[in-house]
Amino acid sequence: MEGKAMNKLTRKRGSAMRLMAVLLAAVMVATACGSDSGGDAAPVATTAAPDATETTAAPTTATPTTEAPTTTATPTTTTEAPPVGPAQGGDASVGLEAEAVGLRPWEDACSSPCYNMLAAVFDKLFEQYADGSYGPFLAESISSNDDFSVWTMNLRPGVLFHDGTELTAQTIADMFVVQQTGAQSAGIIGSSKLVSVEATGDLEVTYTLSGTNAVFTANLSRAQIGMVFAPSTGADEDALAAAANAPIGTGPFMVDNRDVDNKTVMVRNPNYWMSDSFGTQLPYLDSVTFHPIPDEGTRLSSLASGTVTAMQSLRQASIRDARNTDGLWLFEHQGNNAGGGMFNVTIAPYDDTRVRRGLMHMNNQDAVIEALGGKGISTGATQFFAPDSPFYSQAVADAYPAFDVAAGVALVTEYINDPARSDGRAVGENIEVELSCPPDPTLIAGMQVIQAIMESTGLVDVNMSNFDQATHIGMAVGGADGTFIGTHHMHCWRWGSEDDPAAGMLSGFGDPSNLAVGALNFSNWYNEEAYGYLVEASLTDDVPTRAALYEKFGLIMNDENPIWFSGGTATVIATAEGLGGLDSWEMPDGEAGIGHPAAEGRWAQAYWAAE
């Protein structure tokens, strides 16, 4: 059955499925509430341009005119490919909702703004087609043995790193040594069952797993083990530290200057390996500069004024406001990603299902979405899959605790009157809840809706806390004692992505006491039966079989309630009129790529259209 996995999982025409996944670790750290994500505590003071952030004009080189994309909240291609290829030239400056804590995909926690930066520096071994299936990117092909436990991959020839060294199979094997101890990659390695990576030829790599993993290719499309970096960047402590700000990849851009919390300037890689369908070497742009601008209003104002030429956002209110701003092109998307939060089930009273379910019954999703600015843009979520996903389950949707204050009151009352209540308070005494989100006005407004309902019952005392995004993430990632249990309570978070479910759910719901499989389990909820269904789903590439298993998992999760949802996350990359290509980028074989889910742009194929 040589080549079986390639035909079923990575070829666009092989399987009719659109593979979706829970977003974890690097993806789930796009912390959010409702359908929003967090920002840094210190807002940008003014809309004036920071150092070297002058207005970026369209290049003078003639390129074909591209019509402005239609405003839409669905992942559809909105900009038609031009009849001739775009020309090289011009610069872009992108306002991001947060700074990246580092640029090491194997080590640093990452979210949507960070992924925009990583994708400019690093190439992935595999990427997704427009239909969500997987195809080779830096890889040229892949095949598996009969039981999907050994995978043989061939790399593209002639690919160079930014420092001029050549990509070989030994590079991938050397990367694995670094990844095995990476804070982000180690959990993915464990959950994917990967045990060894060998160079079995100059460009041939053999991955050996401890057991069957029919969707292993999906892991090679994720940043943690799929982005290719020069192994020397993790060779020792000094090199590891330096790589956080000066990474070496094979990607379309090279880091020229990194001024943390101000700007990161990336310039064209003159030796980039990929050309477009018309033979033009990529990238099109001369440079792309990323600016962290945590405040949503300031970021949009900066785009409207020309201080930056693009911005990303995962906030419905920003989409609403951008739609009403002249002179912008909007690249919108709404897929599996959903906002909401989680309970740290190791901390009382959230260790009791009655409390978790009772509090979820007090979540008025429609009111929260409206407070977030998402009325008419987002709808309530009940699971990790959108209704158009092949893995969506109506049974799981029906099992999700609906807004029902009376039902919530009954459950919380039962807990507070239980002499054995876990929080150590007296019988009849209110429970105390700490509800935490990053300090964005729309997030705060959404959480105030939930707070008001909880407190109106007379049973719940709510403490609202707000931390900058990095701190908010860190509270869930691990404690000061070095454990991965976290110090969070009822914590805003964002869930879901367009990746294959197995790529994220295995590492996101493994036993948190076993760091090899559970380091990315931020809620710390572990159910052996439920996890078994996730493992079983990784043993086959048959979509109906997998969908039935994910339904079983979802039913248990919606019974034990470690995760709560508000609404689907609508995302946008807004650009100055004329800066396009974000929804029409191509894979190396010329087929359409997945576009810009979660406001993550592939800037290698962004270009300025002719005036």
Side-chain angles (χ1 to χ4, degrees):
M1 296 177 66
E2 182 76 3
K4 174 180 178 181
M6 181 64 177
N7 292 334
K8 288 292 185 72
L9 289 174
T10 64
R11 290 301 304 161
K12 181 182 179 185
R13 300 177 182 85
S15 166
M17 64 182 176
R18 182 171 188 167
L19 300 176
M20 311 288 184
V22 66
L23 183 69
L24 327 165
V27 182
M28 291 199 308
V29 295
T31 54
C33 194
S35 307
D36 289 303
S37 72
D40 293 347
V44 177
T46 71
T47 57
D51 291 343
T53 354
E54 295 87 355
T55 300
T56 306
T60 55
T61 50
T63 52
T65 300
T66 306
E67 294 182 358
T70 305
T71 304
T72 175
T74 57
T76 57
T77 299
T78 55
T79 308
E80 294 184 1
V84 294
Q88 292 181 333
D91 309 286
S93 53
V94 186
L96 302 176
E97 69 175 6
E99 177 62 281
V101 297
L103 300 176
R104 301 166 296 187
W106 70 93
E107 183 69 24
D108 298 312
C110 195
S111 61
S112 172
C114 170
Y115 282 125
N116 277 271
M117 300 172 72
L118 290 186
V121 177
F122 301 102
D123 290 316
K124 297 177 183 178
L125 291 167
F126 288 81
E127 265 281 15
Q128 286 179 278
Y129 289 105
D131 68 354
S133 58
Y134 293 87
F137 203 78
L138 269 187
E140 200 165 53
S141 65
I142 195 167
S143 59
S144 76
N145 63 351
D146 287 356
D147 69 353
F148 301 108
S149 64
V150 178
W151 296 75
T152 303
M153 176 182 72
N154 288 286
L155 296 168
R156 297 186 184 281
V159 176
L160 300 178
F161 284 98
H162 298 157
D163 61 2
T165 58
E166 187 174 359
L167 171 66
T168 66
Q170 188 59 47
T171 304
I172 307 301
D174 292 341
M175 277 174 44
F176 183 63
V177 176
V178 178
Q179 291 166 335
Q180 284 178 296
T181 57
Q184 303 303 314
S185 53
I188 303 298
I189 289 171
S191 63
S192 66
K193 305 179 184 178
L194 179 59
V195 293
S196 71
V197 180
E198 298 177 85
T200 48
D202 290 344
L203 295 173
E204 183 182 272
V205 180
T206 298
Y207 294 94
T208 301
L209 315 184
S210 61
T212 297
N213 184 349
V215 291
F216 176 69
T217 307
N219 292 280
L220 300 182
S221 76
R222 301 191 69 204
Q224 295 89 338
I225 64 173
M227 284 186 170
V228 175
F229 60 91
S232 60
T233 60
D236 54 44
E237 290 300 319
D238 290 340
L240 184 65
N245 294 317
I248 300 173
T250 65
F253 294 96
M254 306 178 295
V255 175
D256 182 63
N257 176 40
R258 179 153 163 79
D259 181 5
V260 176
D261 293 327
N262 181 25
K263 64 180 179 180
T264 299
V265 181
M266 300 186 184
V267 297
R268 174 190 284 128
N269 176 6
N271 299 313
Y272 192 54
W273 58 274
M274 187 174 174
S275 298
D276 68 11
S277 298
F278 304 95
T280 302
Q281 185 188 24
L282 298 172
Y284 298 122
L285 296 173
D286 293 328
S287 71
V288 57
T289 300
F290 297 99
H291 298 273
I293 308 176
D295 183 76
E296 289 285 322
T298 303
R299 198 177 328 129
L300 180 57
S301 297
S302 297
L303 174 58
S305 67
T307 300
V308 296
T309 56
M311 63 165 279
Q312 57 84 226
S313 181
L314 294 86
R315 312 287 179 88
Q316 300 101 310
S318 293
I319 294 174
R320 177 198 63 202
D321 295 342
R323 289 178 178 180
N324 294 321
T325 303
D326 292 334
L328 303 183
W329 284 5
L330 305 182
F331 299 90
E332 297 186 26
H333 180 272
Q334 188 164 326
N336 274 349
N337 194 267
M342 61 184 161
F343 302 98
N344 185 345
V345 302
T346 66
I347 295 177
Y350 322 108
D351 57 347
D352 194 296
T353 305
R354 294 172 296 181
V355 172
R356 299 195 300 266
R357 190 172 187 86
L359 295 177
M360 287 172 66
H361 275 305
M362 299 175 192
N363 176 15
N364 185 340
Q365 288 185 329
D366 291 341
V368 170
I369 290 170
E370 185 170 0
L372 292 168
K375 185 176 182 179
I377 298 174
S378 298
T379 57
T382 60
Q383 58 195 278
F384 295 124
F385 308 113
D388 61 351
S389 166
F391 301 118
Y392 179 83
S393 165
Q394 187 59 50
V396 172
D398 294 340
Y400 185 81
F403 178 52
D404 185 342
V405 176
V409 166
L411 288 166
V412 174
T413 299
E414 181 180 334
Y415 174 83
I416 67 175
N417 289 330
D418 187 346
R421 57 187 290 180
S422 58
D423 62 0
R425 291 192 164 200
V427 171
E429 189 175 354
N430 285 7
I431 62 170
E432 184 174 355
V433 169
E434 182 171 337
L435 177 58
S436 182
C437 284
D440 176 79
T442 59
L443 284 177
I444 293 172
M447 292 307 95
Q448 285 174 338
V449 171
I450 297 177
Q451 178 186 22
I453 296 172
M454 289 181 181
E455 292 183 337
S456 71
T457 66
L459 302 173
V460 185
D461 298 327
V462 181
N463 298 318
M464 284 277 290
S465 61
N466 307 106
F467 300 94
D468 64 89
Q469 189 177 43
T471 302
H472 186 84
I473 293 168
M475 292 171 67
V477 170
D481 59 357
T483 68
F484 287 82
I485 299 301
T487 59
H488 54 304
H489 287 238
M490 186 174 180
H491 218 54
C492 294
W493 211 250
R494 191 187 302 282
W495 307 101
S497 78
E498 310 313 303
D499 297 334
D500 183 272
M505 295 180 83
L506 281 169
S507 55
F509 292 99
D511 183 353
S513 67
N514 180 356
L515 298 187
V517 296
L520 304 180
N521 184 348
F522 299 125
S523 72
N524 299 304
W525 172 74
Y526 175 69
N527 179 291
E528 186 174 2
E529 179 186 356
Y531 190 72
Y533 294 134
L534 298 182
V535 172
E536 190 176 350
S538 73
L539 306 181
T540 177
D541 59 352
D542 181 71
V543 175
T545 299
R546 298 181 72 201
L549 292 166
Y550 290 131
E551 180 178 81
K552 291 180 179 180
F553 170 87
L555 289 171
I556 294 175
M557 188 188 77
N558 277 356
D559 180 59
E560 299 193 2
N561 310 122
I563 305 297
W564 52 278
F565 296 100
S566 290
T569 303
T571 68
V572 67
I573 299 178
T575 68
E577 188 173 4
L579 181 55
L582 294 163
D583 59 350
S584 57
W585 63 272
E586 296 178 345
M587 297 281 282
D589 62 4
E591 298 285 352
I594 196 169
H596 43 86
E600 297 169 13
R602 282 22 172 217
W603 295 95
Q605 297 185 48
Y607 60 88
W608 283 102
E611 294 182 351

